[in-house]
Amino acid sequence: MAIIHRATLNPSKLELIERYLPVQPWFTKDGSAPPEMRGAYRFDDPDGEVGLETHLISHGGKVYQVSLSYRGSELHGGEDSLLGTMEHSVLGTRWVYDACADPVYVSALAAAILTGQEEAQQFVEVDGALEPRASSVTVKGSGAPGSEVPSVTPAAPVTEGSVTSIDGGELTLLVNRVLDPGTPGPENSATLRGTWTEQEAPVLLASLSQG
């Protein structure tokens, strides 16, 4: 369950993403229009400390996947993956990272793929009560509930082309930075697929291999 606070953010998430994208090798800048948010989905941190949110951004006819982690303090060794800090009117200063370098996100992604999880349920806090909010992106892992999830000790992510590889020890995760709506991915592989408005056919978001 993800609790969304009604808060002001300075800078906004989109402002941080707009600064981050142009310096990524997998991003193609098109001067015709600024990047636009298409939707987002979240995973849960079992400890409730780290926010895990993945944004789908459209720009120049492409859809980019930008996974972020939000922390209340700095991530040790995460300097190269820091997008910046933002002031959250409820939670205070938040350090925002490329989530592929955050072990909490890597573990959550692996669990989602291997156990067939969906995106976290979202609730908005309104006058002390929690009201459900539908996710603008729905995702589902290909695995089965109750499947074993190995302990993940991720190395620094490595990006080649438009795919980021994360060596987690007993498993390797591949995160697609540029999404191809026409490629759902092999049916027999361990994957995370998603749909969003105007995209009814599941799209390959990430995959996993073990051994």
Side-chain angles (χ1 to χ4, degrees):
M1 181 178 72
I3 298 176
I4 313 300
H5 299 279
R6 300 183 69 178
T8 56
L9 304 175
N10 184 29
S12 69
K13 296 172 185 177
L14 183 57
E15 287 172 330
L16 282 176
I17 291 171
E18 286 179 328
R19 299 174 193 170
Y20 165 79
L21 284 175
V23 297
Q24 304 310 309
W26 39 266
F27 178 73
T28 303
K29 183 172 177 56
D30 183 333
S32 61
E36 179 182 354
M37 285 194 175
R38 296 288 297 275
Y41 63 93
R42 287 177 176 259
F43 289 139
D44 282 328
D45 169 16
D47 294 328
E49 294 295 328
V50 181
L52 304 173
E53 185 175 33
T54 296
H55 299 274
L56 302 189
I57 307 294
S58 62
H59 180 72
K62 295 182 179 181
V63 178
Y64 298 92
Q65 182 173 214
V66 181
S67 297
L68 302 179
S69 65
Y70 310 115
R71 288 175 165 264
S73 59
E74 295 180 68
L75 171 64
H76 178 70
E79 295 84 3
D80 291 341
S81 299
L82 180 68
L83 274 72
T85 59
M86 64 183 180
E87 294 302 318
H88 189 292
S89 61
V90 176
L91 300 176
T93 302
R94 305 293 282 173
W95 280 258
V96 183
Y97 292 91
D98 174 353
C100 289
D102 194 316
V104 176
Y105 168 78
V106 176
S107 295
L109 177 58
I113 291 175
L114 292 172
T115 66
Q117 289 181 23
E118 300 179 347
E119 73 280 1
Q121 290 184 298
Q122 298 184 34
F123 293 85
V124 179
E125 188 174 17
V126 180
D127 297 328
L130 296 179
E131 298 182 359
R133 186 178 78 175
S135 177
S136 53
V137 178
T138 60
V139 304
K140 183 171 176 54
S142 60
S147 297
E148 181 180 356
V149 181
S151 177
V152 178
T153 306
V158 176
T159 300
E160 294 185 5
S162 62
V163 179
T164 294
S165 174
I166 309 164
D167 183 352
E170 295 185 40
L171 51 81
T172 299
L173 289 156
L174 300 175
V175 178
N176 291 348
R177 302 290 198 163
V178 184
L179 303 183
D180 183 354
T183 306
E187 289 297 328
N188 60 349
S189 61
T191 60
L192 183 76
R193 296 182 174 89
T195 61
W196 57 92
T197 302
E198 300 178 355
Q199 180 57 47
E200 297 181 358
V203 175
L204 180 64
L205 304 176
S207 59
L208 177 152
S209 61
Q210 292 181 274

